[in-house]
Amino acid sequence: MKFVSYNIQYGIGQDGRFDPERIARAVDGADVIALQEVTRGFVRNGHADLVETFSSLFPAYFASFGAASDVLVDHAMVEGRLRERRFQFGNMVLSRFPVLAARNLLLPRARTFDKLNLQRGAQEAVIDAPGGALRVYSVHLDHVSPDERMAQIAYLKARANGFVDEGGALTGASEFAVPDPALPADYLLMGDFNEWRLGPGSALTRLEPIFGPLPPPIPSFPARLPVLSLDRIMANRTDLISDMTVHDTPLARLASDHLPLTARVRLHRVED
């Protein structure tokens, strides 16, 4: 099955055009899609609701979105009712298969005074894949501070590895008249890790005790001439991923500032 991770830069391409349809074409045919920099109420793309946009562009897919950052933009009374416009910035998962449960994990951050620093997150989705349930995390780490990325990786690793013991989004669900979601042990981390460093200094080395040797880095940024391997897809079982490539086409080089990263996943080998 085809899994794709894509930082979509709010739907704005390298030509300055807001064109979410172009983003959708770049990931056409994927079974599971992890998107980063999905926004609502953002001035740069005309305050578009990208959650609704991509849900409409993939009408047969299940969708899960988590806003890591949520800030009031403006408000007004319209026909006697208060209407808010909020800037939301987060991650999304689109899946051909049902999303059984989801959590929006807010990653550690520290205040900055001279550089932009947003609350970052990881959208966790438990997917009812054909070979058994599987977890997917759409991840976006900090772009400013290496120390912050280290802390975010440590937190994410603890949540992902503690998922079964913690119980995920919900346990004892019969009290709410819904089925208990599956608690699969296997998972994939997919997203923009903003980690350009390689070797011992990389924040990603903190994952090696669980993941083993990490997959070779594949340059995906900047899209027009990719030299940095900011985008990653990693599985906690080395046999889950059979192949990984960057989707480098003229369309993809124009659609965002990142290229989509694609992995072939052996779903038939996944077990609960």
Side-chain angles (χ1 to χ4, degrees), residues 108-120:
R109 70 176 297 269
R111 181 180 180 183
T112 55
F113 293 90
D114 59 345
K115 293 182 179 179
L116 175 70
N117 187 12
L118 297 89
Q119 174 67 58
R120 304 290 181 151

Side-chain angles (χ1 to χ4, degrees), residues 3-168:
F3 284 54
V4 176
S5 179
Y6 199 6
N7 181 323
I8 64 168
Q9 193 183 226
Y10 340 117
I12 299 173
Q14 294 298 281
D15 55 0
R17 285 177 50 214
F18 173 62
D19 191 345
E21 289 82 4
R22 189 165 52 184
I23 296 285
R25 292 199 301 275
V27 296
D28 183 54
D31 297 294
V32 176
I33 306 164
L35 301 178
Q36 300 85 48
E37 295 195 2
V38 178
T39 61
R40 286 175 167 142
F42 192 24
V43 66
R44 291 189 188 177
N45 59 18
H47 303 99
D49 183 345
L50 287 184
V51 179
E52 175 59 29
T53 296
F54 285 108
S55 295
S56 297
L57 289 170
F58 293 89
Y61 284 60
F62 297 83
S64 176
F65 170 74
S69 182
D70 185 331
V71 179
L72 180 66
V73 176
D74 56 32
H75 59 90
M77 294 298 296
V78 179
E79 297 179 350
R81 180 179 174 183
L82 178 65
R83 303 288 185 179
E84 298 178 75
R85 181 158 55 182
R86 307 191 70 85
F87 166 69
Q88 294 184 339
F89 176 95
N91 307 303
M92 189 172 185
V93 175
L94 293 160
S95 171
R96 291 189 192 273
F97 319 116
V99 175
L100 301 176
R103 293 190 298 176
N104 183 20
L105 304 180
L106 300 181
L107 304 177
R109 70 176 297 269
R111 181 180 180 183
T112 55
F113 293 90
D114 59 345
K115 293 182 179 179
L116 175 70
N117 187 12
L118 297 89
Q119 174 67 58
R120 304 290 181 151
Q123 186 66 11
E124 174 190 273
V126 178
I127 294 173
D128 189 15
L134 174 75
R135 278 180 284 144
V136 167
Y137 294 83
S138 182
V139 179
H140 195 188
L141 301 189
D142 179 63
H143 69 296
V144 174
S145 168
D147 290 339
E148 193 155 303
R149 285 194 295 275
M150 287 281 193
Q152 291 171 344
I153 283 285
Y155 180 87
L156 181 59
K157 182 175 72 171
R159 297 286 71 71
N161 288 328
F163 172 86
V164 175
D165 291 335
E166 294 175 0

